[in-house]
Amino acid sequence: MSFADLGLSDKVLQAVTAAGYTEPTPIQAQAIPHVLARRDVLGIAQTGTGKTAAFTLPMLTLLENGRARARMPRTLILEPTRELAAQVVENFDRYGINHKLNVALIIGGVSFAEQDAKLMRGTDVLIATPGRLLDHFERGKLLLTGVELLVIDEADRMLDMGFIPDIERIVKMVPFTRQTLFFSATMPPEIERLADMFLHTPQRIEVARPASTAATIVQKLVATGSEGHEKRDLLRRLIRGEAELNNGIIFCNRKRDVALLQKSLASHGFNVAALHGDMDQRARTIALDGFRSGEVPLLVASDVAARGLDIPAVSHVFNFDVPHHPEDYVHRIGRTGRAGRAGHAFTLVTRSDERSVTAIESLIGQPIPWAEGDLGVLPEPGAAPAEREDAPTRTRHRGKSGQTLRRRGASETGREAARSEPRARKGGRRDSPERGPSPAVEAEAAPSPARPKEPAPQRTAEPRREERRPAPRRRGDEDDGETPIGLGSHVPAFLLRPAVIKSTK
Ligand code: AMP
């Protein structure tokens, strides 16, 4: 099958050739004809499958007829994070070189004024994160009644981040007669429900098992005894020991750990950038550009910030923390071993990670081997913690084979961890219906569909919610919110009234 067989316009075909693509990927081959036929599409596909072009290419063809009107975008694409939204804009720039279309990017962290001006000029394609889109709508700068085609991308990530109520609101604002394209890497029940609600007799296209990991990735578990200095020391030794390391992403579960680890690695002489949701847009762009260009070979990142980023040819992924949800493991290590290239994925495992590792292994349908050699071992319960960051590494081999020892240690971990569960970790275990049980020990940071994955600092004090439906993230930034100063934008009206000071004379 070639692109010419799909019904795309000549302008689009020229751009595809210029991009160097010789044949459509499976999601493109299956989705494009249906999009061109104006049918709704439910695409179950991960990033890396070519799914962005699967909707941008036919959209460009369809948009060749008609004109945009001020404040009334013709098409709307919703993305969960700023970076993903920016990546879709890049796709329109690349494939739309022969078109004169107005593409507007509406994301948080940048000024409203410039975005307002773009909307006023008339927008053919509006690419937005939900929170900022609603902000524009509420300011009266935007009308969604002209939207002919709506794309909801990364729907499962939207759910994780608590955006579904926003999405439901937005969908109510676009015409019922629109065409809808809905993409998700996984289809938990909540996402199925939304797909049923938003799509009219859709064409369902599934291109790859969401649980699959590329065969070209060499995956290893590395045992570590502590969450602190010892773990960071082990990571440094791992990085230094990898002769084939060209560039790598280091994933942490919590965004505060991203910043901490980046600083620690930098202080040990590594050329490393950070990417997490508390960084402003400029800092994120600088970090990402440096990493993409190869100038900065290491990037410490959180799941949400790094999700779906198109960074070709990453040689290594390090899971500094075992991800809470097994799907995140698949996404993380999917950063490496792309397009048939060799990749390496190391996961640092502490005593409390046993259940998470078991869940990952059952999702990917294979055991992950432990790293050979003198990398790290799980200490026996009660062993003293490492004293200092720079203290020489203490290996605690107690048998002939480090691997055997580590394995035994790992199988002990769950029971030990459960017994020694610190009281400070309030909240206990929260089982997510979509994801399965989360380890109790990780409850403090464990994301769930009921909360944004990386809760904004002001939200951490909120009581835990057990309900499945996420709380609305009204003014939230797209992935994890900005810390408001004082009351942020939620200042009650009575506080804004001028004070009347009565004279006592
Ligand atoms: P995506 O899944 O949309 O993030 O795309 C992943 C990568 O695949 C991007 O770098 C695209 O440029 C690339 N890509 C998309 N379609 C094709 C194609 N038909 N042939 C080769 N590469 C492609």
Side-chain angles (χ1 to χ4, degrees), residues 406-424:
R406 285 195 295 276
R407 274 193 182 285
R408 193 179 335 126
S411 64
E412 288 161 5
T413 59
R415 289 187 301 277
E416 290 299 332
R419 274 204 294 275
S420 60
E421 169 71 357
R423 291 245 169 97

Side-chain angles (χ1 to χ4, degrees), residues 9-33:
S9 70
D10 287 343
K11 284 182 186 175
V12 172
L13 288 176
Q14 282 164 22
V16 166
T17 309
Y21 302 160
T22 48
E23 58 177 314
T25 65
I27 183 95
Q28 292 163 3
Q30 292 176 67
I32 290 172

Side-chain angles (χ1 to χ4, degrees), residues 235 239 248-252 258 261 265 272 298-302 316-320:
L235 176 73
I239 296 172
I249 305 180
I250 303 151
F251 284 99
C252 295
V258 169
L261 184 60
L265 285 168
V272 57
L298 291 173
L299 182 71
V300 188
S302 61
H316 283 66
V317 165
F318 299 94
N319 290 314
F320 186 70

Side-chain angles (χ1 to χ4, degrees), residues 3 16 19-25 27-28 46-55 57 84 87 91 94-95 308-312 338:
F3 277 104
V16 166
Y21 302 160
T22 48
E23 58 177 314
T25 65
I27 183 95
Q28 292 163 3
Q46 300 174 58
T47 47
T49 54
K51 82 171 155 66
T52 319
F55 59 84
L57 299 179
L84 280 170
Q87 229 165 254
N91 272 255
R94 190 188 314 162
Y95 309 133
L309 294 181
D310 184 22
I311 304 163
R338 285 189 160 197

Side-chain angles (χ1 to χ4, degrees), residues 284-437:
R284 288 189 196 203
T285 308
I286 291 170
L288 210 48
D289 287 352
F291 186 69
R292 276 198 180 120
S293 70
E295 207 179 300
V296 182
L298 291 173
L299 182 71
V300 188
S302 61
D303 288 292
V304 171
R307 171 82 173 218
L309 294 181
D310 184 22
I311 304 163
V314 175
S315 72
H316 283 66
V317 165
F318 299 94
N319 290 314
F320 186 70
D321 299 309
V322 178
H324 303 301
H325 297 309
E327 292 88 349
D328 284 337
Y329 178 83
V330 178
H331 284 293
R332 288 180 182 187
I333 77 161
R335 315 274 91 221
T336 185
R338 285 189 160 197
R341 293 188 193 97
H344 301 265
F346 288 96
T347 301
L348 273 60
V349 182
T350 64
R351 289 193 160 274
S352 54
D353 293 325
E354 187 193 31
R355 288 179 63 181
S356 301
V357 172
T358 308
I360 290 166
E361 290 180 329
S362 93
L363 179 77
I364 65 174
Q366 65 184 78
I368 310 170
W370 290 87
E372 300 280 349
D374 189 19
L375 281 168
V377 281
L378 287 164
E380 293 300 317
E387 299 82 18
R388 296 191 305 114
E389 177 100 52
D390 293 319
T393 314
R394 293 168 302 137
T395 46
R396 284 181 278 264
H397 289 271
R398 293 206 171 104
K400 279 186 198 147
S401 151
Q403 191 182 350
T404 315
L405 236 180
R406 285 195 295 276
R407 274 193 182 285
R408 193 179 335 126
S411 64
E412 288 161 5
T413 59
R415 289 187 301 277
E416 290 299 332
R419 274 204 294 275
S420 60
E421 169 71 357
R423 291 245 169 97
R425 306 250 194 214
K426 311 192 280 282
R429 185 192 308 160
R430 288 175 305 129
D431 291 352
S432 147
E434 287 82 22
R435 308 271 197 180

